[in-house]
Amino acid sequence: MLMKQGEEKVGYVKRDITKKRKPYHRVKKPLMFKTPRLLQKLFVSCRETFKGPATVPSPQDVNKLAHILDNMKPEDVGLSKDLQFFKPSGIVKENPRVTYSTIYQCDNFSLCIFFLPTNGVIPLHNHPGMTVFSKLLLGEMHIKSYDWVDPEVSHNMLHQPSQMRLAKLKANNIYKAPCDASVLYPKTGGNIHEFTAITPCAVLDVIGPPYSKEDDRDCSYYKDHPYTDFPNIEIDEVKEENDSYGWLEEIEMPQNSQMDRIEYMGPPIIDHKMYSIP
């Protein structure tokens, strides 16, 4: 997903920095924006879960991380449904722009929040070599996802104009917050997905490892075609209903894939390797 710097603001819950009078004999200490326990716990769990490129987290680590995300609320990252961005509006832009904030990023993982206005779209794209957790914090959205039927097929086949690659539909549903987190893996779980906002949405993504062109983890985009569009192609793997499958065609980066970056103004993370939460 292409991301670039922008000036558009989504807004965060204001920090309470009101100072109270204290007795003269007490030393005044600066008030801090306390990190919500679950956000810090999420960070510590990510640090323990993601071991670097070419690794997939263990089932135990996945369950632990997903459980933390399942219990997270918008307030844990400084958001509220009362912010203007999430309030209904009679004005819907024709090509609404998606924005994002990076909470934290290192070589092994990243924590990001994606803000999708009504009708905002993150087009069908893949996550090469990545494990991704997505938690819908606010709003209602449609999610469609696919996995390759044959994950070992050469990626170069997609550069042939007439070549379509078969994928199995893993999700094609509407989700409304609050809901549990979803997890996708390098070859399973709906690695190729698309988000379409029905109402203004905020999605917390945990991505490990992050996208990196230098490490051959660049983002590719796709256009899906119904399985019945090519009925003369026989595929032995297809043994279920036709509508459970589709043909994916790699395309150039769509115009609506560009995003604006906004500064993260929510609670900070304590980045200390010795810091842990029981």
Side-chain angles (χ1 to χ4, degrees):
M1 292 173 282
L2 180 65
M3 305 174 180
K4 74 173 188 177
Q5 185 74 32
E7 299 298 329
E8 183 179 348
K9 300 296 181 183
V10 173
Y12 287 85
V13 177
K14 292 183 179 179
R15 308 179 186 185
D16 184 6
I17 57 174
T18 303
K19 295 184 177 180
K20 297 181 180 180
R21 294 182 180 273
K22 297 181 180 180
Y24 71 94
H25 61 276
R26 297 184 63 182
V27 177
K28 290 185 178 181
K29 296 181 180 180
L31 294 178
M32 302 297 290
F33 190 3
K34 185 178 180 180
T35 302
R37 184 175 183 275
L38 279 181
L39 178 59
Q40 187 65 33
K41 192 173 183 179
L42 174 67
F43 168 72
V44 173
S45 182
C46 286
R47 200 174 56 197
E48 297 170 349
T49 296
F50 296 103
K51 310 299 183 183
T55 63
V56 177
S58 69
Q60 293 81 5
D61 285 337
V62 168
N63 290 338
K64 180 180 178 181
L65 195 53
H67 180 70
I68 296 172
L69 284 166
D70 289 345
N71 289 284
M72 290 192 70
K73 298 179 180 179
E75 292 76 15
D76 291 316
V77 290
L79 298 177
S80 168
K81 64 180 179 180
D82 296 325
L83 293 171
Q84 187 61 42
F85 177 82
F86 300 105
K87 292 183 178 180
S89 173
I91 302 175
V92 179
K93 296 181 180 179
E94 183 177 350
N95 295 305
R97 193 94 161 179
V98 175
T99 58
Y100 78 101
S101 289
T102 299
I103 301 175
Y104 180 89
Q105 180 164 324
C106 63
D107 290 340
N108 288 353
F109 67 91
S110 65
L111 304 176
C112 297
I113 307 173
F114 293 91
F115 299 97
L116 291 79
T118 301
N119 292 342
V121 176
I122 299 180
L124 199 62
H125 63 282
N126 68 343
H127 306 81
M130 304 177 191
T131 302
V132 181
F133 298 73
S134 295
K135 167 69 174 181
L136 180 61
L137 295 170
L138 288 164
E140 185 175 0
M141 67 163 40
H142 177 266
I143 299 177
K144 179 188 285 187
S145 66
Y146 292 93
D147 282 329
W148 298 122
V149 168
D150 183 357
E152 303 304 326
V153 172
S154 172
H155 187 74
N156 293 330
M157 289 181 63
L158 294 172
H159 296 293
Q160 301 176 22
S162 61
Q163 183 67 47
M164 297 289 175
R165 188 170 169 188
L166 187 66
K168 185 173 183 179
L169 188 65
K170 302 297 292 185
N172 190 21
N173 304 308
I174 293 175
Y175 297 85
K176 185 175 182 180
C179 59
D180 289 344
S182 62
V183 186
L184 63 83
Y185 300 90
K187 295 181 181 179
T188 60
N191 185 277
I192 306 161
H193 69 197
E194 174 184 77
F195 291 167
T196 304
I198 298 173
T199 67
C201 295
V203 183
L204 174 61
D205 260 17
V206 178
I207 306 173
Y211 285 104
S212 171
K213 289 184 179 181
E214 294 76 13
D215 298 318
D216 200 27
R217 293 193 306 275
D218 198 8
C219 187
S220 297
Y221 295 90
Y222 303 91
K223 179 179 180 181
D224 57 343
H225 302 269
Y227 177 76
T228 52
D229 278 6
F230 304 93
N232 295 327
I233 302 178
E234 296 183 3
I235 302 293
D236 294 337
E237 290 88 345
V238 177
K239 299 177 182 179
E240 301 178 13
E241 296 291 335
N242 287 345
D243 60 2
S244 296
Y245 294 83
W247 300 99
L248 299 192
E249 174 188 10
E250 186 173 3
I251 60 174
E252 296 295 325
M253 182 181 64
Q255 185 175 359
N256 62 345
S257 66
Q258 296 182 349
M259 299 182 186
D260 294 321
R261 179 176 182 175
I262 59 175
E263 182 182 0
Y264 172 68
M265 299 294 291
I269 284 175
I270 302 174
D271 184 7
H272 194 291
K273 292 186 177 181
M274 297 303 293
Y275 189 96
S276 63
I277 293 180

